[in-house]
Amino acid sequence: MSEYVARPLHRRRLLSLAAGLAVVPLALTGCGVGSGAASDATAMAGSCELSEAVTNDEPITGEPSGEITFQTTALKQSFSPYFEDLIAAFEEKYPDVTVTWQDDPGDAEFTQRLVTDAQGCELPDVVNLNQTTAYALYRENFLLNLSTKAPDVGGEFITSVWDSLVFPGSDEHYVMPWYWGLGGLQTYNTELMEQVGLDPDAPPTTVMEQFDMAETVAEKSDGQFYAFTASPTQRVPSDWQLMDAQIMNDDETEFTFADDPKILEWLTRFAELYEAGALPKDTLSTDVDVTQLYSAGDVVWGSTNASFMRYVQETNPDTYEITGVSSLLDARGEAFQEGQLIAVPSTSDNPVAALAFADFLLSPEWQTKFVSDERISNFPSTTESLDIPKFTEISADTPLGAANKLSVELAPDATNSFIYNWSDAVNSAVLSELQLAIAGSKDPAQALADAQDAANGILADQG
């Protein structure tokens, strides 16, 4: 019978890869379970009484046994054989453990459903979370402090990803990375660039350079095509992050974006581009899919998600063939990482088996098997799983291949960029003000001030 002990911490040298990615909000009420604080606050999560095993200062060790529940998000329909094999292998290694697998649809009510389950002391023992949901649970003390309870668990993960995966105001880990996507690319129609006198071999390297080129598109395209969509939906807050603008204060308790001159310049230039005809006016207040516009040859710049090119390849091979790819990292200097997480709730009745299962699920062996499926369009979170043919033996002779190669080159240094307090409500409030400014209906500085007030109002209500 095997005893679970977290893997020893060691930092592997980050892989130098040259080939590509194949297929691509409540106030903080506790200081974190297992954080060493000896108070009643850490003995409870909501109305749930926590066990001594998760509230003391000692790492969790022991012989896994008993029953645990594992929950994924929208994976059962397509990947049942993989998880059935994984669970069978785990139960063979730990014959005294029984794993029950359940799958959540991951719909718009996901966060509220998980918070409700947590408040009812009914969370699974091992749970797949997005970052918004993870933060909501963390703030209510429902996640196990891995830095205390499993201090060596991060040793196999991509270093930059693991190091950056902490919540605002904390330097400890409560979640583990699973599969994830990367941002920091740009795709563009090389033929349209040439038509307006732009050099496709010298694409923009900053957001403002892209705006400069968009102005050229407005001047010389005669309204036959545009630079990119007018809706800021897919550009905020990512453009601001690329520009290394100050979106929140240092401890992420207050939005400050209206005070950053770079963001004011960004919005002012965006509005000028809209007025000049660089952007299709009917896309300002709609969620028009840039993929469709790009495939049809209506815009120069397409999605920053390389996998969108599969759609372009299928719907308009001619546009696909003239697609260029490069990085656009601006002042940030590194790619974005955002993805799915694994957590062990503090309310688990069986943290020994739960941590053992999480460790097994996220091991290089099983992550490699998962991402080797050609339907998986994401990166694994372990460095070892990046060193497989899917990532190292892809030709860069096609637009998608070039994007894949560049993605893998950027992946080892990617960091988590998620703004945990940028909720759906904040996003909606900010975008509505930005759209007014872009349309010329409100002064950009006033729009940013009003957006910031609205965002901070939402933040205060959540507290």
Side-chain angles (χ1 to χ4, degrees), residues 119-142:
Q119 292 168 342
C121 313
E122 296 179 347
L123 282 174
D125 298 280
V126 181
V127 59
N128 171 201
L129 302 169
N130 61 46
Q131 299 197 134
T132 297
T133 310
Y135 189 44
L137 295 174
Y138 158 77
R139 285 184 293 182
E140 291 301 299
N141 220 32
F142 284 109

Side-chain angles (χ1 to χ4, degrees), residues 2 4 49-54 60-70 90-91 94-100 121 123-127 144 146 149 343-359:
S2 302
Y4 165 72
E49 185 174 351
L50 304 180
S51 68
E52 169 67 16
V54 303
I60 288 176
T61 59
E63 203 167 276
S65 63
E67 300 178 356
I68 58 171
T69 300
F70 166 51
F90 177 80
E91 291 179 341
Y94 300 107
D96 290 336
V97 181
T98 300
V99 180
T100 299
C121 313
L123 282 174
D125 298 280
V126 181
V127 59
L144 193 68
L146 301 171
K149 309 314 294 182
V344 173
S346 58
T347 52
S348 173
D349 290 330
N350 194 347
V352 174
L355 281 170
F357 184 80
D359 185 73

Side-chain angles (χ1 to χ4, degrees), residues 12-34:
R12 296 173 179 261
R13 179 179 60 85
L14 290 180
L15 303 176
S16 177
L17 302 174
L21 176 61
V23 206
V24 228
L26 306 166
L28 179 60
T29 58
C31 55
V33 177

Side-chain angles (χ1 to χ4, degrees), residues 278-298:
L279 319 175
K281 294 190 182 299
D282 60 350
T283 64
L284 175 57
S285 58
T286 63
D287 281 334
V288 115
D289 189 350
V290 68
T291 300
Q292 297 177 9
L293 292 175
Y294 183 85
S295 182
D298 293 335

Side-chain angles (χ1 to χ4, degrees), residues 4 6-7 70 125-131 134 143-147 149-158 161-167 172-180 337-345 351-363 367 379-382 416 420:
Y4 165 72
R7 294 192 193 97
F70 166 51
D125 298 280
V126 181
V127 59
N128 171 201
L129 302 169
N130 61 46
Q131 299 197 134
L143 298 185
L144 193 68
N145 184 330
L146 301 171
S147 296
K149 309 314 294 182
D152 300 330
V153 75
E156 299 282 1
F157 298 130
I158 298 170
V161 172
W162 174 249
D163 288 349
S164 63
L165 198 60
V166 293
F167 295 122
E172 299 179 310
H173 289 87
Y174 292 82
V175 291
M176 293 166 275
W178 192 8
Y179 60 94
W180 56 279
Q337 178 273 341
E338 185 177 329
Q340 294 292 309
L341 309 171
I342 294 295
V344 173
V352 174
L355 281 170
F357 184 80
D359 185 73
F360 193 83
L361 167 71
L362 299 177
S363 67
Q367 287 211 48
F379 285 107
S381 61
T382 63
N416 182 55
Y420 290 96

Side-chain angles (χ1 to χ4, degrees), residues 136-369:
L137 295 174
Y138 158 77
R139 285 184 293 182
E140 291 301 299
N141 220 32
F142 284 109
L143 298 185
L144 193 68
N145 184 330
L146 301 171
S147 296
T148 298
K149 309 314 294 182
D152 300 330
V153 75
E156 299 282 1
F157 298 130
I158 298 170
T159 303
S160 61
V161 172
W162 174 249
D163 288 349
S164 63
L165 198 60
V166 293
F167 295 122
S170 174
D171 58 2
E172 299 179 310
H173 289 87
Y174 292 82
V175 291
M176 293 166 275
W178 192 8
Y179 60 94
W180 56 279
L182 176 143
L185 302 181
Q186 61 176 319
T187 58
Y188 43 89
N189 186 311
T190 60
E191 188 174 282
L192 295 184
M193 290 183 73
E194 290 174 343
Q195 287 183 29
V196 296
L198 296 173
D199 184 359
D201 293 326
T205 60
T206 70
V207 172
M208 286 297 111
E209 285 180 6
Q210 189 184 68
F211 282 15
D212 291 340
M213 293 186 184
E215 187 175 342
T216 299
V217 173
E219 293 171 353
K220 299 183 178 181
S221 67
D222 296 323
Q224 299 303 302
F225 55 88
Y226 304 92
F228 40 81
T229 63
S231 173
T233 302
Q234 297 178 353
R235 304 190 67 114
V236 174
S238 59
D239 272 10
W240 302 352
Q241 290 172 295
L242 286 169
M243 297 163 63
D244 203 22
Q246 189 76 25
I247 299 172
M248 300 193 76
N249 58 6
D250 290 340
D251 59 4
E252 298 190 41
T253 58
E254 182 181 9
F255 288 102
T256 60
F257 53 81
D259 304 322
D260 193 309
K262 288 180 286 189
I263 293 179
L264 177 57
E265 181 186 9
W266 177 92
L267 183 55
T268 302
R269 290 289 307 280
F270 207 123
E272 291 171 351
L273 290 173
Y274 183 79
E275 183 179 9
L279 319 175
K281 294 190 182 299
D282 60 350
T283 64
L284 175 57
S285 58
T286 63
D287 281 334
V288 115
D289 189 350
V290 68
T291 300
Q292 297 177 9
L293 292 175
Y294 183 85
S295 182
D298 293 335
V299 293
V300 175
W301 281 276
S303 172
T304 59
N305 185 344
S307 64
F308 98 108
M309 284 190 288
R310 293 188 175 278
Y311 171 86
V312 179
Q313 186 179 29
E314 293 171 359
T315 59
N316 195 337
D318 290 340
T319 299
Y320 174 77
E321 292 298 330
I322 56 174
T323 294
V325 182
S326 70
S327 64
L328 202 167
L329 304 178
D330 206 313
R332 182 181 177 88
E334 59 195 14
F336 295 153
Q337 178 273 341
E338 185 177 329
Q340 294 292 309
L341 309 171
I342 294 295
V344 173
S346 58
T347 52
S348 173
D349 290 330
N350 194 347
V352 174
L355 281 170
F357 184 80
D359 185 73
F360 193 83
L361 167 71
L362 299 177
S363 67
E365 175 187 359
W366 283 97
Q367 287 211 48
T368 296
K369 289 181 181 180

